[in-house]
Amino acid sequence: MKIIVNAKPHEVAATDLQSVLDELGFAASAVATAVNGSFVARPKRAEVTLADGDRLEVLAPMQGG
Amino acid sequence: MRLYGTDVASRLLLGTAQYPSPAVLAEAVKSSGTGIITVSLRRETAEGSGAGFWDGLRDTGCRILPNTAGCHTVQEAVTTAHMARELFDTDWIKLEVIGHADTLQPDVFGLVEAARILSADGFKVFPYTTEDLVVGERLLEAGCELLMPWGAPIGSGQGLRNPDGLRAMRAHFAGVPLIVDAGIGRPSDATQAMELGMDAVLLNTAVAKAGDPAAMARAMALAVDAGRAGYLADPMERRDMAVPSTPVLGLAELNMTETA
């Protein structure tokens, strides 16, 4: 299915969020995730099933003021 | 100074953005003597761009204050706060709900709403707000235990655009920690804020964009301490006219007198 990851389209085979992160090569312990604007906590990732067209945000620590 | 029950030694909070290099940032953090640094969250790449930065920050030993910079809606800010809490393992959040693209001034209506949602969810909210007293009251009612009024627009370095407003805040919110966030450009701006009775100053660009960030970080730390000491020493009242400081009594009469 095709999902939007950090504003870019990606074709993924996995369906649950945890597996999608693994497939895309993210270090799952060092990122925070939101699907369609809603936060998904780390322990819940395996339970969340993604659908075609879903928007996934994968965020990491960054410099800030 | 106590912020949400935590004793904080330094009254200078430092942002981590816009430094020429991670090494310069680390040097500035050290010479500022700060105990609290602000950070943010941005989109990650599969290569892991954020990991190195985060490792470097943990080495500073500072408390981390994540922000919701760039959020323009309540929902964005709330979701970002949740992501920050998980990522940085802290319930502290510098809450920004931006209302205007040019001035980056807070959307105080969204700010109060987001502060209420996050406080109810256990967050310790550091709200970036204006000097408006009513908004401040609403934020405290929403669960905030401190307020962070702006000095001037973020990154502008204009100093305190409304010192009278900050003075009124100090009088109105006795006992509530007030941290001037944004607009500080020079050490004298930080001193002025502290002389007004602000409890601390949060700044970033003034240090990061200085010719020598580490030296400016130290200058800011000294300025904050000087202003705080001056506030505690209870400054004299301003007067419109001169008052001689040297005694007039016993002054000699030395005018040449005309002889008849």
Side-chain angles (χ1 to χ4, degrees), chain A residues 4-8 24-45 55-65, chain B residues 14-18 22 25 38-47 49-51 53-54 57 67 69 75 79-80 82-84 86-88 94 96 202 204:
Chain A
I4 310 297
V5 182
N6 290 347
K8 288 188 185 131
L24 293 172
F26 288 107
S29 61
V31 295
T33 51
V35 176
N36 299 327
S38 293
F39 171 60
V40 179
R42 209 169 280 153
K44 299 276 184 196
R45 287 175 189 164
R55 287 180 301 112
L56 170 60
E57 291 286 344
V58 183
L59 304 191
M62 199 55 63
Q63 296 85 342
Chain B
L14 193 64
T16 57
Q18 300 182 301
L25 164 60
T38 59
V39 297
S40 195
L41 298 87
R42 286 295 178 269
R43 285 169 170 163
E44 176 66 310
T45 60
E47 297 80 44
S49 61
F53 167 69
W54 178 217
L57 282 187
N67 69 28
Q75 206 226 315
T79 300
T80 301
H82 279 278
M83 296 174 88
E86 182 180 80
L87 204 52
F88 296 105
K94 178 186 161 185
E96 295 183 30
L202 196 170
N204 184 345

Side-chain angles (χ1 to χ4, degrees), chain B residues 19 33 54 120 134 142 178 252:
Chain B
Y19 291 81
W54 178 217
V134 180
L178 300 177

Side-chain angles (χ1 to χ4, degrees), chain B residues 236 238-246 248:
Chain B
M236 66 169 280
R238 204 181 267 265
R239 299 175 204 245
D240 288 336
M241 301 300 285
V243 179
S245 52
T246 303
V248 178

Side-chain angles (χ1 to χ4, degrees), chain B residues 155-176:
Chain B
S156 70
Q158 293 177 8
L160 308 184
R161 291 223 297 205
N162 184 6
D164 290 332
L166 296 174
R167 189 179 291 113
M169 274 191 103
R170 179 67 294 163
H172 193 72
F173 297 112
V176 177

Side-chain angles (χ1 to χ4, degrees), chain B residues 107-142:
Chain B
D107 167 0
V108 295
F109 307 97
L111 180 69
V112 170
E113 192 183 338
R116 185 173 293 117
I117 293 167
L118 291 171
S119 296
D121 209 349
F123 283 88
K124 295 179 170 65
V125 177
F126 291 58
Y128 164 63
T129 184
T130 65
E131 61 276 62
D132 189 290
L133 298 180
V134 180
V135 172
E137 285 175 354
R138 296 285 191 278
L139 287 167
L140 297 181
E141 286 165 16

Side-chain angles (χ1 to χ4, degrees), chain B residues 185-209:
Chain B
R186 290 156 188 264
S188 51
D189 303 330
T191 301
Q192 187 190 12
M194 298 304 292
E195 282 177 358
L196 289 170
M198 299 295 108
D199 292 279
V201 165
L202 196 170
L203 55 87
N204 184 345
T205 312
V207 166
K209 292 296 185 191

